[in-house]
Amino acid sequence: MNEYDEYAAIAAIKSALGEELSGKYTDDQLLNVIDMIWDFYEENGLLDIDSDEDMDESDVYDDLITYIKRMLKKDKESGILPEHIEPIVKAEIEYENTLDTLD
């Protein structure tokens, strides 16, 4: 099983965003978003082994985007534009999906 690697996630996000968009953000800014994603997972019980697998992924995704936007709005120094949040989150989730699942 491949383990989650923040630096690999950052590289995957930058690759997915393309040169122009990824060049707007530092690794630390992207890592801040990654941390927020995982905070959301933890706060919503999505990291629990026995979490509900029947949850509607689109609802979770929409809630995640809303959560990240709210958190970044509070973080005045994040520097991430609201219109770039969804592509960054989508790229991070795509990275997560490349990791092996438990057998």
Side-chain angles (χ1 to χ4, degrees), residues 39-70:
D39 288 345
F40 174 85
Y41 291 164
E42 186 173 8
E43 288 176 19
N44 290 280
L46 299 173
L47 297 177
D48 297 339
I49 291 175
D50 59 347
S51 68
D52 185 6
E53 293 182 18
D54 295 332
M55 294 171 63
D56 185 353
E57 287 185 27
S58 65
D59 288 342
V60 171
Y61 181 77
D62 292 342
D63 290 346
L64 174 60
I65 296 296
T66 300
Y67 174 85
I68 300 295
K69 285 181 178 180
R70 185 175 68 246

Side-chain angles (χ1 to χ4, degrees), residues 8-22 30 91 94:
I10 290 169
I13 292 169
K14 285 185 169 191
S15 175
L17 294 179
E19 194 173 308
E20 183 179 334
L21 186 55
S22 68
L30 296 176
E94 288 174 358

